[in-house]
């Protein structure tokens, strides 16, 4: 039977949850990365991380100085009157190959180049279709167009930076960018941005240069790090859209991918000595699981964990550590699955009700200690019943999902080749 991803309110308490609804705690805001937090490291490690912090601050200052210099030469009324394009990213990646050599695709590529920050990244939620960024205009529009806004200026959230790089590569590979060296230069700068943003231990923050708060944590949430790792893998192979990539850049992409794999393995959560899955975010220094947004508490996560397993299963020669991590993660997904229920939309409510005989489904978040599904609200409270959330959060988040099923399908094939458990 057809399984539906739940992105709306759910009108029951699962048998896997508590017998009665309760608030079991409050979300704790993760700490920003700072020198004080580096004291747990050895002296050589601390020096490396301190250099990372200083580089981040220097790049942030340079980004802001560049924008200030532009604004010194333009009239502010011109910027205030600038119109922003409609919602959407404006960077299609599934059009026919010939389209990427068209005038329309080149206009998008020009727009992408215009929005690249001096640090080399891109902000999120800006439609790249038109018009290009004007001199002195903000790098992002996520602050409601405020001229003074500085939110997500350089990020891997919502596929930002990754999509820009993929689009530029597709235009370059099509031949439509011939005679436009600025496309290749922007691509190389974007890759350098990713290398620079990567933490010494292989993780990636959500926003770089660092913005503080939960943005500084290693971000698996919404598959941010997994999307970066996929791109690094493709650039390293120098095939298809990335055949133009210089060998030296491809080698650095391979090294960066390997480091990302290492931090994935190192951050896998143990419960009572048993490897399980991952949290949406992990502390940049200690790798401990931490929360993200106010409604995303510290918890084992099904969606992001499944995606990280896909990343590890792509390795053509998995090490014993990778095999152990994948076996353990797949075993956890099997334990966390909710069976014998099909979820269909009720006629008389905004929620969903179960039918017997279908599944599996997964809660998005599970309490690390008890393995019960948990749910966060805007006020940072953590609940065991989704119906206790505020209406906005109850209906505005995918609290139950079915996509880990495809990962387990992949694992069944992968295990027959690589895992003792599958043979």
């Amino acid at each position: 039977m057809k399984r539906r991803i739940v992105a709306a309110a759910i009108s029951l308490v699962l048998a896997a949850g508590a017998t009665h609804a309760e608030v079991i705690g409050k979300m704790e805001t993760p700490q920003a990365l700072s020198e004080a937090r580096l004291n747990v490291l050895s002296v050589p490690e601390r020096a490396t991380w301190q250099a990372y912090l200083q580089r981040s601050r220097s790049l942030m200052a340079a980004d802001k100085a560049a924008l200030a210099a532009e604004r010194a030469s333009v009239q502010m009324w011109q910027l205030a009157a600038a119109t922003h394009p409609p919602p959407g990213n404006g960077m299609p990646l599934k059009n026919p190959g010939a389209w990427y050599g068209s005038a329309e695709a080149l206009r998008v590529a020009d727009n992408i180049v215009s929005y690249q920050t001096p640090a080399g990244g891109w902000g999120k939620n800006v439609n790249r279709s038109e018009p290009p960024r004007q001199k002195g205009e903000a790098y992002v529009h996520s602050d409601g167009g405020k001229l003074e806004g500085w939110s997500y200026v350089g990020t891997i959230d919502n596929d930002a930076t990754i999509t820009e790089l993929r689009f530029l590569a597709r235009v370059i590979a099509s031949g439509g960018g011939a005679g436009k060296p600025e496309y290749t230069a922007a691509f190389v700068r974007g890759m350098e941005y990713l290398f620079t943003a990567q933490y010494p231990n292989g993780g990636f923050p959500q926003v770089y240069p660092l913005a503080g708060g939960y943005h500084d944590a290693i971000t698996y949430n919404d598959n941010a790090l997994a999307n970066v790792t996929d791109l690094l893998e493709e650039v390293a192979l120098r095939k298809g859209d990335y055949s133009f990539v210089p060998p030296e850049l491809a080698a650095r992409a391979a090294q960066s991918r390997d480091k990302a794999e290492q931090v994935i393995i190192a951050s896998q959560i143990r419960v009572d000595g048993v490897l399980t899955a991952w949290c949406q975010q992990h502390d940049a220094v200690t790798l401990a699981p931490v929360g993200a947004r106010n409604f995303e508490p510290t918890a084992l996560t099904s969606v992001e964990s499944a995606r990280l397993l896909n990343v590890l299963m792509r390795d053509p020669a998995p090490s014993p550590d990778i095999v152990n991590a994948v076996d353990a993660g797949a075993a956890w997904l099997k334990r966390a699955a909710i069976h014998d229920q099909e979820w269909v939309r009720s006629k008389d409510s905004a929620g969903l009700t179960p039918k017997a005989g279908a599944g599996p489904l997964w809660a998005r978040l599970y309490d690390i200690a008890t393995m019960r599904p948990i749910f966060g609200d805007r006020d940072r409270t953590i609940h065991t019943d989704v119906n206790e959330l505020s209406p906005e959060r109850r209906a505005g988040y995918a609290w139950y999902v079915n996509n880990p099923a495809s990962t387990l399908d992949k694992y069944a094939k992968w295990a027959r080749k690589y895992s003792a458990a599958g043979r």
Side-chain angles (χ1 to χ4, degrees), residues 14-28:
L14 291 173
T19 56
H20 64 279
E22 56 182 323
V23 176
I24 61 172
K26 292 206 76 170
M27 160 78 179
E28 294 183 6

Side-chain angles (χ1 to χ4, degrees), residues 95-118:
N95 284 355
W99 181 85
Y100 294 94
S102 68
E104 184 178 356
L106 296 185
R107 184 173 65 251
V108 174
D110 288 339
N111 193 16
I112 289 172
V113 172
S114 76
Y115 272 95
Q116 189 172 26
T117 68

Side-chain angles (χ1 to χ4, degrees), residues 45 49 156 197-205 216-220 224-226 228-229 232 254-270 275 277-289 304 308-309 311-312 315 319 321-322 325:
E45 287 180 305
W49 281 84
I156 57 173
Q198 189 171 30
Y199 283 136
N201 59 15
F204 283 88
D216 290 2
I218 294 172
T219 301
Y220 300 139
L225 184 142
V228 175
T229 307
L232 293 171
Q255 293 171 355
S256 181
R257 174 209 58 205
D258 291 346
K259 287 176 64 178
E261 284 188 357
Q262 290 164 13
V263 83
I264 291 171
I265 294 168
S267 60
Q268 192 170 16
I269 299 167
R270 288 186 181 271
L275 284 173
W278 291 266
C279 188
Q280 289 177 319
Q281 296 201 144
H282 286 250
D283 185 86
V285 179
T286 68
L287 303 186
E304 287 82 0
L308 293 175
L309 291 176
V311 169
L312 295 178
D315 194 303
S319 66
D321 285 342
I322 289 178

